[in-house]
Amino acid sequence: MKEEELDALPWINGPETGNIRGFGFKDKKDPQRYQMMYDSMNEKLWCEAFGLIHAELWDEAEEKVNELSAYRGRCDMNLEMELRYGIAMRGVEEGSNKGIMDKNKFDLAWQTILFEIDRDGDSNLDGLIDKLCNLVEARIKALCPLKKWYEVNEKTYWSLNYEKGSTQTLLQAATLWLEVPKAAKRAYVNPTDYGDNAHDAIHCIVEELAKRGELIHARRVANEILDVDPTMTEFCGPGIFLSAVAECSESLEDLPTAHDSYTKLRRCKEGNEYCDMYDEDKESIFCKDVMPGTVDERITRTDVA
């Protein structure tokens, strides 16, 4: 900011009484700037960059973060992450078909968030997992068509229409969603606290892959989510994915794997109502060519020992 522009700003008390003049903001997302004094150049540059990021003035924020990095001789990864996330999400409206995320901007934001999680610094790790979820949803909008979900107060909300996506798109989407519980585990954040979106999406993807006859892909994706988060959330037990592995394996005539998965499903039913597969309706869920039956009947018919 030029000296004459700084002179025109009203004053506000800064964090320190120093002798380096700069600008700052009263509140996050408030674009009004004020003159304030800083104790050091490092403090001035950091606070100005922080304020610009939270005021969502992304072009200026990028310049200021670069200026701070040049001054320090190293990158402030926390600010860099907030900047890259904000730039990637610019113009992308959650719950609507507005805004398609640029892949390069997504990649930069994705990499810096994962770096922050793995760095295990003083970041808000819960908030980073939320950001990963938002990035995944926004990125998949660029890969997969949307369908109208519902309307409230004349506003239309959209959801991802996996039925219209290519098989390659479904596998890309599954890979992205699987990173959410993986990252949560690495951050020592309970993955089930953030898993509902990922589990629901992967359930839809596995179901669609199986419907298309892509049974090996469907089984692999179901196995991966079970490996990452075997207990799931209280609203999404592992039963649905164990069923997917079992049915796909039985359809592929891999009876030992089917038997093992049905047996695991039988064990996890105890005390988990979300694992009560085939109790009321004996029909298969993912593979219609697989014979109906209760879990016990399925265990018996796949037992080749």
Side-chain angles (χ1 to χ4, degrees), residues 101-119:
M101 182 175 291
D102 176 81
K103 183 181 184 304
N104 291 333
K105 292 175 181 176
F106 167 82
D107 288 342
L108 277 173
W110 184 260
Q111 290 162 11
T112 53
I113 290 175
L114 290 180
F115 181 88
E116 274 294 275
I117 288 170
D118 293 335
R119 188 170 69 95

Side-chain angles (χ1 to χ4, degrees), residues 208-221:
E208 182 59 29
L209 288 170
K211 187 169 72 175
R212 296 180 187 187
E214 300 281 1
L215 301 184
I216 292 176
H217 288 316
R219 181 172 68 172
R220 177 181 62 78
V221 173

Side-chain angles (χ1 to χ4, degrees), residues 67-88:
E67 190 179 349
L68 175 64
S69 297
Y71 177 79
R72 288 182 172 180
R74 58 181 174 81
C75 183
D76 185 306
M77 284 308 301
N78 189 267
L79 284 182
E80 185 74 21
M81 178 273 299
E82 294 285 357
L83 173 69
R84 295 304 162 196
Y85 173 77
I87 289 175

Side-chain angles (χ1 to χ4, degrees), residues 13 16 20 40 107 140 156 206 234 241 262 283 286 301:
N13 291 330
E16 298 285 348
I20 299 176
S40 67
D107 288 342
I140 294 174
T156 301
V206 169
E234 61 178 306
F241 297 112
Y262 284 133
E283 293 297 321
F286 295 92
R301 75 182 183 220

Side-chain angles (χ1 to χ4, degrees), residues 203 238-251 258-259 261-266 268-269 272-288 290-299 301-302:
H203 177 188
I240 195 68
F241 297 112
L242 286 170
S243 298
V245 173
E247 289 182 29
C248 289
S249 297
E250 189 172 359
S251 184
H259 180 77
S261 296
Y262 284 133
T263 302
K264 288 178 181 176
L265 179 61
R266 181 71 183 83
C268 82
K269 282 178 63 176
N272 192 332
E273 62 180 295
Y274 297 100
C275 291
D276 287 342
M277 308 298 166
Y278 315 120
D279 280 4
E280 295 181 7
D281 184 354
K282 298 181 182 181
E283 293 297 321
S284 294
I285 300 167
F286 295 92
C287 302
K288 298 308 177 185
V290 172
M291 290 173 53
T294 65
V295 174
D296 289 335
E297 289 169 344
R298 290 166 186 264
I299 289 172
R301 75 182 183 220
T302 56

